[in-house]
Amino acid sequence: MDERVKTDMGATAAALDYDAELMLRVRDGDGASFGVLLDKHRLSVIHFLYRMVQNHAVAEELAQEVFLRVYRSRSTYEPTAKFTTWLFRIATHLALNALRDGKHEKSQERLDDASGDLPVRQVSDKRPTVEASMVYESRLEEVRKAVATLPEKQRAAVLMHKYQDMEYSQIARVLNCSESAVKSLLFRAYESLRARLAHMA
Amino acid sequence: MDCPLETHEGSALLLAYSSGRLERESTVPLERHLETCPGCRQFVESQSSVWRALDSWEAPPVSADFDRRLYQRIEQQVSWWDMLLRPFRPVFHSRSLPIAAAAGVLIMAGVLLDRPAVVPITPPQQSAQVEALQPDQVEHAVDEVEMLDQFNHLMRSEPAEPAAKM
Ligand SMILES: [Zn+2]
Protein backbone atom coordinates (compact mmCIF):
# COMPACT_ATOMS: atom_id res chain seq x y z
CA MET A 1 0.00 0.00 0.00
CA ASP A 2 2.76 2.51 0.87
CA GLU A 3 4.65 1.73 -2.30
CA ARG A 4 1.88 2.83 -4.54
CA VAL A 5 1.77 6.31 -3.13
CA LYS A 6 5.14 7.14 -4.51
CA THR A 7 4.83 5.48 -7.89
CA ASP A 8 2.71 7.05 -10.53
CA MET A 9 -1.00 6.41 -10.43
CA GLY A 10 -0.97 4.65 -13.76
CA ALA A 11 1.30 1.94 -12.47
CA THR A 12 -0.89 1.51 -9.42
CA ALA A 13 -4.11 0.95 -11.27
CA ALA A 14 -2.30 -1.20 -13.79
CA ALA A 15 -1.06 -3.44 -11.01
CA LEU A 16 -4.62 -3.84 -9.82
CA ASP A 17 -6.02 -4.37 -13.28
CA TYR A 18 -4.03 -6.15 -15.97
CA ASP A 19 -6.37 -4.80 -18.63
CA ALA A 20 -5.57 -1.27 -17.57
CA GLU A 21 -1.91 -2.10 -17.94
CA LEU A 22 -2.54 -3.37 -21.45
CA MET A 23 -4.46 -0.20 -22.26
CA LEU A 24 -1.57 1.90 -21.00
CA ARG A 25 0.65 0.00 -23.39
CA VAL A 26 -1.79 0.74 -26.20
CA ARG A 27 -1.61 4.38 -25.20
CA ASP A 28 2.14 4.18 -25.42
CA GLY A 29 1.98 2.86 -28.95
CA ASP A 30 1.82 -0.91 -28.54
CA GLY A 31 -0.78 -2.08 -31.04
CA ALA A 32 -0.37 -5.73 -30.06
CA SER A 33 -1.79 -4.99 -26.62
CA PHE A 34 -4.93 -3.70 -28.26
CA GLY A 35 -5.24 -7.09 -29.93
CA VAL A 36 -4.94 -8.80 -26.56
CA LEU A 37 -7.68 -6.60 -25.10
CA LEU A 38 -9.87 -7.26 -28.10
CA ASP A 39 -9.36 -11.01 -27.73
CA LYS A 40 -10.20 -10.86 -24.07
CA HIS A 41 -13.33 -8.78 -24.26
CA ARG A 42 -14.73 -9.18 -27.76
CA LEU A 43 -17.16 -11.90 -26.81
CA SER A 44 -18.51 -10.36 -23.62
CA VAL A 45 -19.04 -6.97 -25.26
CA ILE A 46 -20.80 -8.45 -28.30
CA HIS A 47 -22.95 -10.71 -26.17
CA PHE A 48 -23.91 -7.88 -23.85
CA LEU A 49 -24.86 -5.70 -26.80
CA TYR A 50 -26.69 -8.55 -28.46
CA ARG A 51 -28.83 -9.10 -25.40
CA MET A 52 -29.42 -5.36 -25.10
CA VAL A 53 -30.58 -4.75 -28.67
CA GLN A 54 -31.45 -8.36 -29.58
CA ASN A 55 -30.17 -8.11 -33.08
CA HIS A 56 -26.92 -9.76 -34.05
CA ALA A 57 -25.92 -7.41 -36.85
CA VAL A 58 -26.68 -4.30 -34.82
CA ALA A 59 -24.84 -5.74 -31.82
CA GLU A 60 -21.71 -6.40 -33.87
CA GLU A 61 -21.86 -2.97 -35.41
CA LEU A 62 -22.11 -1.39 -31.97
CA ALA A 63 -19.29 -3.58 -30.66
CA GLN A 64 -17.10 -2.40 -33.51
CA GLU A 65 -17.88 1.14 -32.44
CA VAL A 66 -17.00 0.32 -28.83
CA PHE A 67 -13.56 -1.00 -29.70
CA LEU A 68 -12.99 1.73 -32.21
CA ARG A 69 -13.65 4.28 -29.48
CA VAL A 70 -11.40 2.48 -27.07
CA TYR A 71 -8.66 2.71 -29.67
CA ARG A 72 -9.41 6.34 -30.43
CA SER A 73 -9.35 7.31 -26.78
CA ARG A 74 -6.03 5.60 -26.18
CA SER A 75 -3.99 8.77 -26.08
CA THR A 76 -6.08 10.27 -23.26
CA TYR A 77 -6.56 7.01 -21.39
CA GLU A 78 -5.89 7.10 -17.67
CA PRO A 79 -6.59 4.05 -15.52
CA THR A 80 -8.87 5.79 -13.05
CA ALA A 81 -11.39 2.95 -13.16
CA LYS A 82 -11.29 -0.73 -13.89
CA PHE A 83 -10.84 -1.20 -17.62
CA THR A 84 -14.03 -3.24 -17.92
CA THR A 85 -15.99 -0.49 -16.16
CA TRP A 86 -14.86 1.94 -18.80
CA LEU A 87 -15.45 -0.57 -21.59
CA PHE A 88 -18.98 -1.39 -20.49
CA ARG A 89 -19.73 2.23 -19.91
CA ILE A 90 -18.99 2.92 -23.54
CA ALA A 91 -20.94 -0.17 -24.59
CA THR A 92 -23.95 0.72 -22.46
CA HIS A 93 -23.91 4.27 -23.67
CA LEU A 94 -23.90 3.16 -27.29
CA ALA A 95 -26.60 0.56 -26.70
CA LEU A 96 -28.89 3.06 -25.00
CA ASN A 97 -28.31 5.53 -27.82
CA ALA A 98 -29.04 2.90 -30.44
CA LEU A 99 -32.23 1.91 -28.66
CA ARG A 100 -33.32 5.51 -28.46
CA ASP A 101 -32.38 6.15 -32.08
CA GLY A 102 -34.84 3.46 -33.05
CA LYS A 103 -32.48 0.69 -34.03
CA HIS A 104 -34.49 -1.37 -31.54
CA GLU A 105 -37.30 -1.46 -34.05
CA LYS A 106 -35.18 -3.90 -35.95
CA SER A 107 -34.79 -5.91 -32.80
CA GLN A 108 -38.52 -5.98 -32.28
CA GLU A 109 -38.92 -7.29 -35.80
CA ARG A 110 -36.38 -9.92 -35.03
CA LEU A 111 -38.23 -10.88 -31.91
CA ASP A 112 -41.26 -11.63 -33.99
CA ASP A 113 -39.16 -13.58 -36.41
CA ALA A 114 -37.70 -16.02 -33.95
CA SER A 115 -35.61 -17.89 -36.51
CA GLY A 116 -33.56 -14.76 -37.15
CA ASP A 117 -30.86 -14.96 -34.53
CA LEU A 118 -31.05 -18.48 -33.24
CA PRO A 119 -27.88 -20.48 -33.32
CA VAL A 120 -29.49 -22.70 -35.89
CA ARG A 121 -27.10 -25.59 -35.53
CA GLN A 122 -28.17 -26.20 -31.97
CA VAL A 123 -31.73 -26.93 -32.92
CA SER A 124 -31.35 -28.51 -36.31
CA ASP A 125 -28.20 -30.66 -36.08
CA LYS A 126 -29.33 -33.06 -33.45
CA ARG A 127 -32.93 -32.76 -34.44
CA PRO A 128 -34.35 -34.77 -31.55
CA THR A 129 -37.88 -33.99 -32.58
CA VAL A 130 -39.58 -31.14 -34.25
CA GLU A 131 -41.52 -30.50 -31.06
CA ALA A 132 -38.40 -30.36 -28.94
CA SER A 133 -36.89 -27.68 -31.08
CA MET A 134 -40.17 -25.83 -31.15
CA VAL A 135 -40.31 -25.95 -27.37
CA TYR A 136 -36.74 -24.72 -27.21
CA GLU A 137 -37.53 -21.88 -29.58
CA SER A 138 -40.63 -20.79 -27.80
CA ARG A 139 -38.87 -20.84 -24.43
CA LEU A 140 -36.04 -18.82 -25.84
CA GLU A 141 -38.51 -16.44 -27.37
CA GLU A 142 -40.15 -16.00 -24.01
CA VAL A 143 -36.83 -15.20 -22.33
CA ARG A 144 -35.90 -12.72 -25.02
CA LYS A 145 -39.23 -10.98 -24.87
CA ALA A 146 -39.13 -10.80 -21.08
CA VAL A 147 -35.72 -9.16 -21.18
CA ALA A 148 -36.71 -6.87 -24.05
CA THR A 149 -39.68 -5.63 -22.05
CA LEU A 150 -37.48 -4.38 -19.22
CA PRO A 151 -36.77 -0.66 -19.19
CA GLU A 152 -33.37 -0.05 -20.74
CA LYS A 153 -31.44 0.71 -17.57
CA GLN A 154 -32.90 -2.26 -15.75
CA ARG A 155 -32.04 -4.41 -18.72
CA ALA A 156 -28.44 -3.21 -18.76
CA ALA A 157 -28.15 -3.80 -15.02
CA VAL A 158 -29.54 -7.33 -15.24
CA LEU A 159 -27.31 -8.26 -18.16
CA MET A 160 -24.18 -7.05 -16.40
CA HIS A 161 -25.21 -8.74 -13.19
CA LYS A 162 -26.23 -12.03 -14.74
CA TYR A 163 -23.86 -12.51 -17.66
CA GLN A 164 -20.84 -10.38 -16.78
CA ASP A 165 -20.91 -11.39 -13.14
CA MET A 166 -20.42 -7.79 -12.08
CA GLU A 167 -20.72 -6.57 -8.50
CA TYR A 168 -23.29 -3.92 -7.64
CA SER A 169 -20.51 -1.39 -7.17
CA GLN A 170 -19.13 -1.92 -10.66
CA ILE A 171 -22.56 -1.78 -12.27
CA ALA A 172 -23.10 1.46 -10.38
CA ARG A 173 -19.95 2.92 -11.88
CA VAL A 174 -20.90 1.78 -15.36
CA LEU A 175 -24.39 3.28 -15.08
CA ASN A 176 -23.11 6.30 -13.21
CA CYS A 177 -25.50 5.93 -10.31
CA SER A 178 -25.37 4.90 -6.68
CA GLU A 179 -25.06 1.33 -5.51
CA SER A 180 -28.48 1.50 -3.90
CA ALA A 181 -29.94 2.72 -7.18
CA VAL A 182 -28.43 -0.34 -8.85
CA LYS A 183 -29.96 -2.57 -6.23
CA SER A 184 -33.41 -1.18 -6.78
CA LEU A 185 -32.96 -1.39 -10.57
CA LEU A 186 -32.06 -5.05 -10.17
CA PHE A 187 -34.83 -5.82 -7.71
CA ARG A 188 -37.44 -4.30 -9.98
CA ALA A 189 -36.00 -6.03 -13.02
CA TYR A 190 -35.88 -9.44 -11.40
CA GLU A 191 -39.36 -8.93 -10.05
CA SER A 192 -40.66 -8.44 -13.60
CA LEU A 193 -38.64 -11.39 -14.82
CA ARG A 194 -39.99 -13.60 -12.06
CA ALA A 195 -43.51 -12.60 -13.00
CA ARG A 196 -42.87 -13.53 -16.61
CA LEU A 197 -40.47 -16.44 -16.38
CA ALA A 198 -40.91 -18.16 -13.04
CA HIS A 199 -43.30 -20.70 -14.53
CA MET A 200 -40.46 -22.01 -16.70
CA ALA A 201 -39.15 -25.12 -15.01
CA MET B 1 -46.09 -12.25 7.81
CA ASP B 2 -43.15 -10.98 9.77
CA CYS B 3 -40.22 -12.28 7.79
CA PRO B 4 -37.02 -10.52 8.81
CA LEU B 5 -35.82 -10.68 5.21
CA GLU B 6 -38.52 -8.39 3.89
CA THR B 7 -36.01 -5.61 3.56
CA HIS B 8 -33.73 -4.46 0.79
CA GLU B 9 -30.87 -6.27 2.45
CA GLY B 10 -32.95 -9.40 2.72
CA SER B 11 -33.80 -9.27 -0.97
CA ALA B 12 -30.15 -8.81 -1.83
CA LEU B 13 -29.34 -11.84 0.27
CA LEU B 14 -32.01 -13.97 -1.39
CA LEU B 15 -30.94 -12.77 -4.83
CA ALA B 16 -27.33 -13.67 -4.14
CA TYR B 17 -28.37 -17.05 -2.78
CA SER B 18 -30.57 -17.83 -5.80
CA SER B 19 -27.70 -17.08 -8.13
CA GLY B 20 -25.23 -19.13 -6.14
CA ARG B 21 -23.15 -16.14 -5.14
CA LEU B 22 -23.70 -16.08 -1.42
CA GLU B 23 -20.70 -16.73 0.80
CA ARG B 24 -20.86 -19.90 2.82
CA GLU B 25 -21.13 -18.26 6.19
CA SER B 26 -24.35 -16.54 5.15
CA THR B 27 -25.72 -19.56 3.32
CA VAL B 28 -26.23 -21.77 6.35
CA PRO B 29 -28.41 -19.38 8.39
CA LEU B 30 -30.34 -18.44 5.27
CA GLU B 31 -31.10 -22.05 4.47
CA ARG B 32 -32.29 -22.51 8.01
CA HIS B 33 -34.61 -19.55 7.53
CA LEU B 34 -35.88 -20.95 4.22
CA GLU B 35 -37.02 -24.11 5.98
CA THR B 36 -39.48 -22.10 8.01
CA CYS B 37 -40.46 -19.29 5.64
CA PRO B 38 -42.65 -20.19 2.64
CA GLY B 39 -42.48 -16.63 1.30
CA CYS B 40 -38.71 -16.64 0.99
CA ARG B 41 -38.77 -20.18 -0.31
CA GLN B 42 -41.08 -19.13 -3.07
CA PHE B 43 -38.87 -16.16 -3.88
CA VAL B 44 -35.83 -18.42 -4.17
CA GLU B 45 -37.65 -20.96 -6.32
CA SER B 46 -38.96 -18.44 -8.79
CA GLN B 47 -35.70 -16.50 -8.88
CA SER B 48 -33.82 -19.72 -9.57
CA SER B 49 -36.16 -20.43 -12.47
CA VAL B 50 -35.40 -16.98 -13.84
CA TRP B 51 -31.72 -17.68 -13.47
CA ARG B 52 -31.99 -20.96 -15.38
CA ALA B 53 -34.14 -19.35 -18.05
CA LEU B 54 -31.50 -16.67 -18.56
CA ASP B 55 -28.81 -19.35 -18.63
CA SER B 56 -30.53 -21.02 -21.53
CA TRP B 57 -30.26 -17.88 -23.64
CA GLU B 58 -27.10 -18.22 -25.66
CA ALA B 59 -25.81 -15.46 -27.85
CA PRO B 60 -25.08 -16.32 -31.47
CA PRO B 61 -21.46 -16.85 -32.50
CA VAL B 62 -19.40 -13.85 -33.49
CA SER B 63 -18.90 -13.30 -37.21
CA ALA B 64 -15.61 -14.66 -38.47
CA ASP B 65 -14.66 -11.34 -40.02
CA PHE B 66 -15.38 -9.21 -36.95
CA ASP B 67 -11.73 -8.38 -36.29
CA ARG B 68 -10.92 -7.79 -39.92
CA ARG B 69 -13.78 -5.31 -40.17
CA LEU B 70 -12.72 -3.60 -36.98
CA TYR B 71 -9.12 -3.16 -38.06
CA GLN B 72 -10.32 -1.91 -41.40
CA ARG B 73 -12.43 0.71 -39.68
CA ILE B 74 -9.58 1.68 -37.41
CA GLU B 75 -7.41 2.14 -40.43
CA GLN B 76 -10.03 4.18 -42.26
CA GLN B 77 -11.24 6.33 -39.44
CA VAL B 78 -8.56 6.89 -36.89
CA SER B 79 -6.43 9.14 -39.00
CA TRP B 80 -9.16 11.54 -40.08
CA TRP B 81 -10.79 11.36 -36.72
CA ASP B 82 -7.66 12.30 -34.84
CA MET B 83 -7.09 15.08 -37.28
CA LEU B 84 -10.57 16.44 -36.62
CA LEU B 85 -10.75 15.84 -32.92
CA ARG B 86 -7.38 17.08 -31.76
CA PRO B 87 -8.09 20.77 -32.20
CA PHE B 88 -11.33 20.43 -30.16
CA ARG B 89 -9.97 18.30 -27.39
CA PRO B 90 -8.76 21.28 -25.33
CA VAL B 91 -12.42 22.14 -24.72
CA PHE B 92 -12.60 18.98 -22.64
CA HIS B 93 -9.03 18.67 -21.49
CA SER B 94 -7.96 22.24 -21.17
CA ARG B 95 -4.81 21.26 -19.31
CA SER B 96 -3.56 19.23 -22.22
CA LEU B 97 -3.90 21.93 -24.82
CA PRO B 98 -0.24 22.09 -25.84
CA ILE B 99 -0.04 18.31 -25.92
CA ALA B 100 -3.15 18.09 -28.03
CA ALA B 101 -1.84 20.69 -30.41
CA ALA B 102 1.44 18.85 -30.72
CA ALA B 103 -0.40 15.61 -31.25
CA GLY B 104 -2.50 17.22 -33.96
CA VAL B 105 0.61 18.33 -35.76
CA LEU B 106 2.20 14.91 -35.41
CA ILE B 107 -0.89 13.18 -36.69
CA MET B 108 -1.27 15.57 -39.59
CA ALA B 109 2.31 14.75 -40.44
CA GLY B 110 1.46 11.08 -40.17
CA VAL B 111 -1.47 11.52 -42.51
CA LEU B 112 0.61 13.45 -44.99
CA LEU B 113 3.15 10.69 -44.99
CA ASP B 114 0.29 8.32 -45.68
CA ARG B 115 1.17 6.24 -42.71
CA PRO B 116 -1.33 3.48 -42.01
CA ALA B 117 -3.15 4.42 -38.82
CA VAL B 118 -3.39 0.87 -37.48
CA VAL B 119 0.29 1.03 -36.81
CA PRO B 120 -0.12 2.99 -33.62
CA ILE B 121 1.14 6.46 -34.00
CA THR B 122 3.74 7.13 -31.39
CA PRO B 123 2.05 9.45 -28.94
CA PRO B 124 3.75 12.63 -27.85
CA GLN B 125 5.23 12.86 -24.35
CA GLN B 126 2.48 11.78 -22.03
CA SER B 127 4.22 12.08 -18.71
CA ALA B 128 2.64 15.44 -17.97
CA GLN B 129 -0.76 13.85 -18.36
CA VAL B 130 0.05 11.04 -15.99
CA GLU B 131 0.75 13.59 -13.28
CA ALA B 132 -2.36 15.57 -14.12
CA LEU B 133 -4.46 12.51 -13.53
CA GLN B 134 -8.12 13.40 -13.54
CA PRO B 135 -10.34 11.29 -11.32
CA ASP B 136 -13.30 11.62 -13.64
CA GLN B 137 -11.58 10.38 -16.72
CA VAL B 138 -14.40 7.99 -17.44
CA GLU B 139 -16.69 11.00 -17.61
CA HIS B 140 -14.42 12.55 -20.19
CA ALA B 141 -14.38 9.38 -22.23
CA VAL B 142 -18.15 9.41 -22.32
CA ASP B 143 -18.22 13.12 -23.12
CA GLU B 144 -15.96 12.27 -25.95
CA VAL B 145 -18.24 9.46 -26.98
CA GLU B 146 -21.14 11.90 -27.08
CA MET B 147 -19.15 14.29 -29.15
CA LEU B 148 -18.13 11.42 -31.39
CA ASP B 149 -21.79 10.67 -31.92
CA GLN B 150 -22.51 14.17 -33.03
CA PHE B 151 -19.57 14.02 -35.35
CA ASN B 152 -20.60 10.69 -36.72
CA HIS B 153 -23.98 12.06 -37.62
CA LEU B 154 -22.37 15.01 -39.32
CA MET B 155 -19.69 13.08 -41.08
CA ARG B 156 -21.62 10.04 -42.15
CA SER B 157 -21.87 10.97 -45.78
CA GLU B 158 -21.28 7.42 -46.93
CA PRO B 159 -23.46 4.45 -46.03
CA ALA B 160 -21.99 3.04 -42.83
CA GLU B 161 -19.85 -0.01 -43.31
CA PRO B 162 -21.32 -1.82 -46.26
CA ALA B 163 -19.01 -4.71 -45.45
CA ALA B 164 -20.59 -5.03 -42.01
CA LYS B 165 -23.99 -5.68 -43.46
CA MET B 166 -23.12 -9.08 -44.84
ZN1 LIG C 1 -38.52 -15.15 4.95
Side-chain angles (χ1 to χ4, degrees):
Chain A
M1 275 296 189
D2 340 89
E3 286 175 6
R4 69 172 176 173
V5 178
K6 61 179 192 306
T7 57
D8 75 37
M9 295 284 281
T12 306
L16 297 170
D17 180 5
Y18 179 59
D19 291 337
E21 188 185 317
L22 287 169
M23 194 57 206
L24 286 172
R25 287 191 211 152
V26 177
R27 186 189 73 181
D28 295 339
D30 175 15
S33 290
F34 179 77
V36 177
L37 283 170
L38 177 62
D39 262 350
K40 252 184 108 176
H41 300 291
R42 182 198 302 105
L43 212 59
S44 58
V45 168
I46 295 175
H47 286 180
F48 170 73
L49 290 165
Y50 168 72
R51 291 184 174 110
M52 275 303 283
V53 300
Q54 303 208 7
N55 176 294
H56 191 207
V58 173
E60 286 202 355
E61 198 182 307
L62 291 173
Q64 296 245 326
E65 200 65 30
V66 170
F67 286 107
L68 192 60
R69 285 167 191 211
V70 165
Y71 189 78
R72 274 179 195 152
S73 314
R74 68 196 181 284
S75 59
T76 54
Y77 178 76
E78 295 297 344
T80 51
K82 237 179 132 176
F83 176 78
T84 47
T85 303
W86 185 57
L87 186 68
F88 275 85
R89 186 134 183 207
I90 298 173
T92 305
H93 181 84
L94 289 174
L96 296 181
N97 270 1
L99 290 167
R100 278 162 206 162
D101 282 358
K103 283 188 189 175
H104 66 290
E105 278 160 26
K106 280 190 209 167
S107 83
Q108 290 304 332
E109 281 164 31
R110 280 311 190 81
L111 274 175
D112 297 334
D113 166 22
S115 59
D117 282 339
L118 285 179
V120 184
R121 266 175 292 128
Q122 287 186 344
V123 273
S124 60
D125 274 7
K126 282 173 74 187
R127 196 183 278 207
T129 57
V130 177
E131 297 112 89
S133 67
M134 279 173 73
V135 169
Y136 172 78
E137 277 185 32
S138 77
R139 284 172 58 100
L140 197 56
E141 179 85 346
E142 223 175 320
V143 174
R144 288 162 48 136
K145 275 190 172 149
V147 172
T149 323
L150 295 174
E152 293 154 2
K153 249 186 157 177
Q154 287 186 27
R155 200 186 316 168
V158 163
L159 297 179
M160 285 185 272
H161 183 248
K162 171 67 183 89
Y163 297 102
Q164 312 305 322
D165 224 358
M166 279 190 197
E167 308 273 350
Y168 297 138
S169 57
Q170 192 179 4
I171 299 172
R173 295 201 72 177
V174 172
L175 295 179
N176 197 22
C177 61
S178 69
E179 221 174 298
S180 64
V182 166
K183 280 183 190 168
S184 59
L185 278 177
L186 283 173
F187 293 162
R188 275 181 282 141
Y190 282 125
E191 201 172 2
S192 315
L193 292 178
R194 282 197 301 277
R196 295 183 69 119
L197 301 175
H199 67 278
M200 292 173 75
Chain B
M1 266 233 163
D2 52 349
C3 168
L5 293 186
E6 277 179 352
T7 60
H8 250 209
E9 257 179 42
S11 308
L13 214 62
L14 289 168
L15 214 55
Y17 177 76
S18 311
S19 53
R21 297 178 189 183
L22 196 61
E23 321 82 64
R24 264 190 98 192
E25 57 267 35
S26 313
T27 301
V28 176
L30 180 63
E31 282 179 341
R32 211 171 297 140
H33 172 75
L34 287 174
E35 282 167 19
T36 62
C37 182
C40 285
R41 221 162 38 229
Q42 216 238 311
F43 180 104
V44 167
E45 276 163 22
S46 54
Q47 182 62 31
S48 304
S49 305
V50 167
W51 211 254
R52 282 193 301 274
L54 292 174
D55 272 334
S56 70
W57 184 17
E58 286 176 35
V62 177
S63 305
D65 65 343
F66 182 86
D67 285 10
R68 187 189 54 76
R69 270 155 43 207
L70 175 64
Y71 283 114
Q72 202 172 33
R73 289 180 68 176
I74 287 179
E75 205 167 329
Q76 283 167 356
Q77 294 190 22
V78 165
S79 50
W80 69 255
W81 173 253
D82 277 346
M83 201 165 63
L84 277 174
L85 183 64
R86 293 293 169 159
F88 298 111
R89 191 158 280 156
V91 178
F92 296 90
H93 303 274
S94 47
R95 271 186 255 173
S96 55
L97 190 140
I99 295 167
V105 169
L106 271 186
I107 282 149
M108 293 274 237
V111 169
L112 288 176
L113 291 169
D114 201 23
R115 189 174 163 177
V118 219
V119 178
I121 295 154
T122 312
Q125 267 304 332
Q126 296 287 339
S127 55
Q129 269 188 308
V130 173
E131 282 149 28
L133 184 83
Q134 300 181 20
D136 50 354
Q137 191 238 346
V138 178
E139 291 298 335
H140 290 170
V142 174
D143 282 347
E144 186 168 296
V145 165
E146 271 153 16
M147 193 167 61
L148 277 157
D149 266 345
Q150 288 159 13
F151 260 95
N152 280 345
H153 284 301
L154 286 174
M155 302 304 294
R156 195 161 283 162
S157 48
E158 55 188 298
E161 289 78 41
K165 297 271 150 65
M166 304 261 308

